[in-house]
Amino acid sequence: AMQLSEEQFELIEHLLPRQRGNVRLSNLQVLNGILHVAVNGCTWRALKSRCVTEGAPVPSTSAGSTR
């Protein structure tokens, strides 16, 4: 599975917006989720069940959209 390591993420972290407020996911977790969806073509909803077993929460989709 395609996934960024902490070391790889540190190289691009400065290009991402700074996280503010009460966030449940790190930018690294979000990027790894996006990469998983891009590589495997699954929906966010399908990704949620994969990540729950790995202990990482997944962002909910807005307005019930899965695409």
Side-chain angles (χ1 to χ4, degrees), residues 34 47 53:
I34 291 169
L47 181 63
T53 60

Side-chain angles (χ1 to χ4, degrees), residues 25-64:
L25 298 170
S26 70
N27 282 338
L28 176 58
Q29 288 174 304
V30 172
L31 280 176
N32 280 332
I34 291 169
L35 287 173
H36 180 81
V37 170
V39 169
N40 296 295
C42 69
T43 63
W44 280 111
R45 190 164 292 169
L47 181 63
K48 185 174 184 177
S49 64
R50 174 187 174 269
C51 289
V52 167
T53 60
E54 294 179 12
V58 175
S60 61
T61 58
S62 62

